[in-house]
């Protein structure tokens, strides 16, 4: 089955000098380019449609889609370009678009009520921001996300390096997980209490680029750059590439020291991205299965890699694997502000809090009964530092002075995994359970295992109110979300 990912036609209608973009956004990041940057213009219409997710014999699926396709069109620009996207809302409800992982100015972040008025049905909204960091990103709505993302609204956003790593071919796999009924329709039990309290809306049908894949054609000896994007509401992937030896070169868009994946599994929580270099070392005519092993006892074959009969090259190339760093400010740990962040709630949360010696914060005194009541009403199931979000407007969880390094010492006091995402910044993952990470990787979404402690650090250099939330969309909807405020320079910090 062919993997087809539509790419928007790019129209460069203006070429402006670097002087134009320099002062416009994220001034502290200082785009260093001397070359002329371009404005790239795109238009996306969100509307109901139909698409063939499953094999043809099962019929097609009503979805919500950008420009009629799932995933939506790949937006592809060069680092330093300015992205101009008109969003047309053809849905019967409000929407917004968030550019996940991209360091945009706050007003372009796509968070309803907090950074913009939601886009009403029939209305348009224009986003414009600079592509400051090269890498693999994606876009999705930030309103009624369990439903809007769950019905198919998402697409890749690729920012090309000025000097990309050398490969023979590049592939993008946008992974998704759907809960389909027998007639290939999307099950409409969004937000049911069981999903909210446990590990979110795990589905029964996994797609690559909007299609249940059979096989992907490869050639012996070729080098592929594979950009993986997890667009699922809740499913975590742990991909086993069998006898291939994938090398991770970027995480969440940001370059990392090239390394083999830990435990041989390429792990992606919801919203996370991994860029891999894959040397196709198998023999012509062979087939290799990529297997998802994340959930024990529920392993399944994601897709086969099918080698052509003719080899492309006899030995793997030895081209360099390193990507150039993006212009991220390096955290200064000697002058950092430390904050503790505790995630709690969910099924069995009380037991774990007791075991870890914590309390439910302000919610704690009410005890088990009031938490059970909250759960039955589908809200206040998950907490950050004792608070559950009920919408996007709330008092900031933390306020950080502009330009300072912030360390968040985070504790997952729940029985569940959580991919924790911060808007507007990338952070270094310093340690896990007290042990320094091997690569001090930059991420915008960090997967925390049950009971795990993770420390992250970043320079609070992007002023505004930024969402900080679990990217299991059902957890986010049931309270696991907060706001981190980075004070503006006008406040004199
Ligand atoms: Cu991918 Cu708050 O979002
Ligand atoms: Cu979560």
């Amino acid at each position: 089955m062919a993997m087809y990912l539509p790419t928007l036609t790019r129209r460069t209608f203006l070429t402006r000098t670097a002087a134009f973009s320099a002062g416009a956004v994220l001034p502290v990041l200082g785009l260093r380019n001397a070359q002329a940057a371009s404005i790239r213009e795109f238009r996306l219409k969100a509307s109901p449609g139909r698409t063939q997710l499953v094999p043809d014999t099962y019929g097609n699926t009503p979805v919500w889609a950008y420009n009629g396709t799932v995933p939506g069109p790949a937006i592809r620009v060069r680092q330093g370009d300015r992205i101009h996207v008109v969003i047309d809302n053809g849905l019967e409800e409000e929407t917004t678009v968030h550019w996940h992982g991209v360091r945009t100015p706050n007003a372009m972040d796509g968070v309803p009520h907090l950074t913009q008025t939601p886009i009403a049905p029939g209305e348009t909204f224009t986003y414009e921001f600079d592509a400051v960091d090269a890498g693999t990103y994606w876009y999705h709505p930030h309103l009624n996300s369990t439903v809007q993302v769950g019905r198919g609204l998402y697409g890749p956003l690729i920012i090309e390096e000025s000097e990309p790593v050398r490969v023979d071919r590049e592939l993008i796999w946008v992974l998704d997980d759907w809960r389909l009924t027998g007639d290939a329709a999307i099950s409409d039990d969004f937000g049911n209490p069981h999903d909210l309290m446990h590990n979110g809306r795990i589905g029964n049908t996994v797609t690559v680029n909007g299609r249940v894949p059979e096989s992907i054609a490869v050639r012996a000896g070729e080098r592929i750059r594979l950009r993986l994007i997890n667009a699922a509401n809740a499913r975590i992937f742990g991909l086993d590439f069998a006898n291939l030896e994938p090398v991770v070169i970027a995480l969440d868009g940001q370059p990392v020291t090239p390394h083999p994946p830990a435990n041989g599994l390429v792990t992606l929580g919801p919203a996370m991205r991994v860029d891999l270099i894959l040397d196709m070392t198998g023999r012509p005519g062979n087939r290799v299965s990529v297997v998802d092993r994340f959930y024990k006892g529920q392993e399944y074959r994601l897709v086969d890699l099918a080698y052509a009969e003719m080899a492309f090259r006899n030995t793997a190339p030895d081209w360099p694997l390193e990507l150039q760093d993006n212009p991220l400010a390096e955290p200064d740990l000697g002058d950092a502000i430390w904050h503790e962040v505790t995630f709690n709630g969910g099924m069995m949360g009380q037991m774990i809090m007791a075991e870890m010696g914590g309390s439910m914060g302000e919610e704690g005194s009410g005890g088990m009964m009031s938490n059970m009541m909250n759960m039955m009403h589908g809200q206040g199931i998950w907490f950050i530092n004792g608070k559950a979000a009920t919408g996007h407007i709330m008092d900031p969880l933390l306020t950080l002075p502009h330009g300072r390094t912030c360390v968040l010492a985070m504790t997952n006091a729940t029985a569940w995994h959580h991919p924790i995402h911060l808007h507007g910044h990338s952070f270094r993952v310093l340690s896990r359970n007290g042990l320094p990470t091997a690569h001090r990787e930059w991420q915008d979404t960090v997967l925390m295992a049950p009971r795990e402690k993770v420390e992250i650090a970043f320079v609070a250099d992007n002023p505004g109110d930024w969402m900080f939330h679990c990217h299991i969309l059902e957890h986010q909807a049931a309270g696991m979300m907060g706001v981190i405020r980075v004070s503006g320079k006008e406040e004199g910090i």
Side-chain angles (χ1 to χ4, degrees):
M1 202 172 291
M3 286 301 115
Y4 171 69
L5 201 60
T7 300
L8 275 188
T9 358
R10 292 174 280 183
R11 188 162 70 94
T12 304
F13 67 93
L14 266 182
T15 301
R16 302 199 187 180
T17 61
F20 170 78
S21 59
V25 281
L26 294 179
V28 290
L29 299 171
L31 256 188
R32 346 138 269 189
N33 81 67
Q35 294 165 344
S38 311
I39 294 202
R40 310 311 267 287
E41 206 190 36
F42 303 92
R43 195 169 183 112
L44 295 173
K45 179 167 187 178
S47 59
R50 300 185 80 91
T51 187
Q52 193 71 44
L53 296 176
V54 291
D56 299 1
T57 45
Y58 296 95
N60 59 23
T61 301
V63 292
W64 294 357
Y66 290 115
N67 297 4
T69 68
V70 177
I75 292 181
R76 211 175 167 107
V77 302
R78 301 226 333 252
Q79 186 173 21
D81 284 347
R82 193 163 172 80
I83 301 174
H84 175 107
V85 196
V86 180
I87 302 294
D88 212 329
N89 184 4
L91 304 172
E92 283 174 8
E93 61 183 56
E94 295 178 331
T95 192
T96 63
V97 178
H98 171 59
W99 314 95
H100 185 112
V102 181
R103 295 186 295 147
T104 66
N106 196 238
M108 296 290 112
D109 197 42
V111 178
H113 309 292
L114 187 72
T115 69
Q116 69 170 94
T117 305
I119 314 170
E123 300 285 300
T124 63
F125 186 87
T126 302
Y127 294 91
E128 192 172 302
F129 52 90
D130 286 345
V132 288
D133 296 327
T136 304
Y137 304 95
W138 65 300
Y139 59 88
H140 65 77
H142 218 283
L143 208 164
N144 194 17
S145 312
T146 52
V147 175
Q148 293 194 12
V149 178
R151 289 195 185 277
L153 288 170
Y154 57 80
L157 196 175
I158 308 299
I159 302 176
E160 295 172 352
E161 300 88 10
S162 54
E163 294 168 50
V165 283
R166 183 171 171 194
V167 294
D168 296 308
R169 199 152 64 101
E170 182 183 303
L171 295 175
I172 304 172
W173 290 2
V174 186
L175 307 173
D176 196 5
D177 172 36
W178 309 75
R179 186 177 292 168
L180 299 182
T181 61
D183 56 356
I186 295 171
S187 163
D188 60 6
D189 60 340
F190 286 99
N192 73 69
H194 187 275
D195 288 349
L196 298 179
M197 281 185 264
H198 295 79
N199 57 352
R201 182 180 171 89
I202 302 288
N204 52 20
T205 306
V206 170
T207 55
V208 176
N209 300 341
R211 201 73 211 250
V212 172
E214 278 302 317
S215 66
I216 290 174
V218 298
R219 298 166 297 173
E222 72 174 333
R223 174 169 284 188
I224 293 174
R225 175 179 186 165
L226 177 58
R227 298 180 188 260
L228 292 164
I229 300 171
N230 182 356
N233 283 31
R235 182 180 289 277
I236 303 168
F237 293 89
L239 303 183
D240 177 352
F241 285 81
N243 50 6
L244 297 177
E245 291 171 0
V247 178
V248 178
I249 60 165
L251 293 167
D252 291 350
Q254 301 295 343
V256 64
T257 308
H259 65 276
N263 311 318
L265 290 187
V266 178
T267 303
L268 295 105
M272 295 170 68
R273 288 88 62 215
V274 177
D275 283 41
L276 292 180
I277 296 292
L278 275 176
D279 282 322
M280 306 311 303
T281 51
R283 295 180 182 225
N286 272 10
R287 272 175 101 86
V288 170
S289 295
V290 180
V291 175
D292 178 5
R293 300 192 187 283
F294 187 79
Y295 301 98
K296 297 293 162 258
Q298 295 175 49
E299 295 82 358
Y300 65 95
R301 182 181 65 94
L302 175 69
V303 64
D304 278 357
L305 303 175
Y307 284 83
E309 295 298 333
M310 287 273 288
F312 177 74
R313 183 185 286 117
N314 288 324
T315 49
D318 60 355
W319 306 327
L321 297 170
E322 285 84 14
L323 290 165
Q324 285 193 350
D325 288 346
N326 280 315
L328 289 161
E330 187 58 45
D332 176 4
L333 295 182
D335 181 37
I337 301 171
W338 289 68
H339 288 283
E340 303 255 343
V341 177
T342 303
F343 302 97
N344 53 39
M347 219 45 180
M348 297 179 289
Q350 293 283 348
M351 270 145 55
I352 298 210
M353 283 307 287
E355 168 206 317
M356 293 182 84
S359 74
M360 291 288 280
E362 290 170 20
E363 310 287 328
S365 42
M368 183 97 69
M369 270 316 286
S370 71
N371 285 306
M372 286 307 292
M373 293 297 287
N374 283 339
M375 285 189 185
M376 284 158 59
H377 292 99
Q379 33 171 247
I381 294 175
W382 300 95
F383 306 86
I384 305 180
N385 286 356
K387 293 219 165 53
T390 50
H392 286 88
I393 297 293
M394 62 196 104
D395 291 336
L397 189 67
L398 302 171
T399 298
L400 306 174
H402 181 262
R404 278 290 286 281
T405 291
C406 170
V407 175
L408 299 183
M410 307 192 296
T411 301
N412 176 4
T414 80
W416 307 93
H417 282 84
H418 303 286
I420 301 298
H421 173 46
L422 173 64
H423 286 210
H425 300 78
S426 286
F427 47 78
R428 277 199 189 278
V429 183
L430 302 179
S431 72
R432 288 183 180 269
N433 290 329
L435 297 174
T437 54
H439 306 291
R440 291 170 66 86
E441 56 273 19
W442 290 106
Q443 304 244 242
D444 54 58
T445 308
V446 62
L447 186 61
M448 297 184 74
R451 299 174 174 77
E452 193 174 30
K453 292 178 187 281
V454 175
E455 287 174 320
I456 63 172
F458 60 98
V459 178
D461 56 4
N462 201 356
D465 282 354
W466 301 102
M467 300 315 296
F468 175 67
H469 63 88
C470 178
H471 221 290
I472 288 179
L473 300 177
E474 290 70 31
H475 292 178
Q476 179 191 5
M480 207 173 210
M481 173 162 75
V483 167
I484 292 185
R485 174 169 294 167
V486 175
S487 59
K489 278 165 293 185
E490 63 283 358
E491 293 176 51
I493 296 164

